[in-house]
Amino acid sequence: MRLVVVGNGMAGARLVEEVRARDPRMPITVFGAERSRPYNRVLLSNVLAGTARPDQVRLVTPGWYAEHDVTAVLGTEIVAVDRDAKEVVAADGRREPYDALVLATGSEAVVPPIPGVERALAFRTLDDCRAILAAAATARRAVVVGGGLLGVEAARGLAGRGLPVTLLHLADHLMDRQLDPEAGQVLGQTLAGLGVRIKTGVTVVEVLGGAGNRPAGVRLADGEIVDGELVVLACGVRPVTGLAAASGLKVGRGIVVDDELRTSDPAIRAIGECAEHDGTVYGLVAPAWEQAAVVADLITGYRTGSRYRGSRPVTRLKAKSVELAAMGETHVDETTDSGAEVVRFSHRARGTYHKLVIRDDRLVGAILVGETPVVGTLTQLFDRGGRPLPGDRAGLLFPGVTGPPVADSPVRMPDSARVCRCNDVTKGRIRACWESGARDVEAVAAVTRATTGCGTCREAVEGVIGWLREQEGATA
């Protein structure tokens, strides 16, 4: 069985690791259009902010491919799939045969077709990040176009370097896909406190030119000029499906796949941001990694009954002074939706907004903006959609104040509780690692990959390790 993987990003690289963990001999060739080794795209905002170096967001060590007998062809784009011959064709003319082909082509930045847009920089790849940092070194002001998750992260990162930033967004509030209006406004106030000027409900119609073909700012639809020697585009992403479409595979919003992640050609599968499963394209890392594990199970024969049934994604942002989580149903019309019970708490002065959406005594959605000690518990309740909630709803947001404490500390957390969602690592697995000699976060991460996804679970992992250390000391 010869496996070829097209795409060496977070989905493709994880698939290669998962396959090699199950089968040490299967011939594997992976093609990556970028010259860089795989890196964690989720953490690029930390590189922008200066809290992480590019080498700290790498997903594999320099010698991993050679050590594990994987052929990695980097900086080479695959331009065609010859399904009859079962070969992929590279831009340099190379043809690589396959028995199993997995497309992990990811997504690409949306670039609006406006005059002067070539003067702006997209924020999507590590090379994009390097270009933005180089431009930021001499810029006096920055403009970020797009107030979704990526735009918020870019604005926060640049502001963290002391650069005045204006964040422009087409919708009436930030992160409108994940947050309701009040949550978006609270998030906006938090960012404003960090030095980010925010303008919502605006349309950028031109990127203006300055000296040396650098940008001088942007023009809005109402004629207003927003100055900035650095213009960053964070206008969303779209699945990269051109290769699949040209190969005759079924394509909708993404490459259409079934529960075995097979495309309309059974010899070809697709995972990650380019894949559309059951009408959904997931733009987060946890679903991509769940899909990679299923494909690895199937093509190696390790677990032939493995199936992907969809994910319950949680959007997280945890950075200095900015914390939020959004999951499930967050937009509910309470005037017409009689089946939804909504629990809400807002304290704008403190940058706090919490909202729970409950149906049939189950948590089906939540928004948490600002620091909250119960995000882990609520995520667990959302993950386990079949578990009834306690009668005291306020106790879910204020544990130990209006009701009994919830299981969010390591002491009360069951071993089955998921600490790291991206890599499906439970408290029990961390305990097992500890008992096997892994005594710090880095050692636990090396075994379980906890903290290597979105990075927001690091504090929780540290908490479990600290509790285990205290337990050991108490029994010594």
Side-chain angles (χ1 to χ4, degrees), residues 374-413:
V374 296
V375 62
T377 296
L378 293 175
T379 301
Q380 292 168 34
L381 291 172
F382 175 70
D383 281 339
R384 307 169 189 165
R387 179 177 173 180
L389 299 178
D392 179 14
R393 308 304 202 208
L396 293 169
L397 297 177
F398 306 102
V401 177
T402 62
V406 291
D408 208 46
S409 79
V411 178
R412 295 184 295 270
M413 186 186 296

Side-chain angles (χ1 to χ4, degrees), residues 241-259:
T241 60
L243 178 65
S247 305
L249 302 179
K250 185 178 180 181
V251 171
R253 287 180 55 226
I255 306 169
V256 177
V257 296
D258 62 14
D259 289 356

Side-chain angles (χ1 to χ4, degrees), residues 314-336:
V314 177
T315 299
R316 293 289 305 271
L317 173 59
K318 183 177 177 65
K320 185 178 181 181
S321 303
V322 185
E323 291 191 37
L324 69 84
M327 60 198 82
E329 294 185 43
T330 55
H331 298 78
V332 177
D333 187 345
E334 296 174 56
T335 61
T336 60

Side-chain angles (χ1 to χ4, degrees), residues 177-200:
R177 291 188 178 182
Q178 295 90 3
L179 306 182
D180 63 17
E182 187 168 1
Q185 291 164 10
V186 172
L187 173 61
Q189 291 176 218
T190 300
L191 291 172
L194 299 177
V196 179
R197 177 186 173 216
I198 296 167
K199 292 181 71 64
T200 57

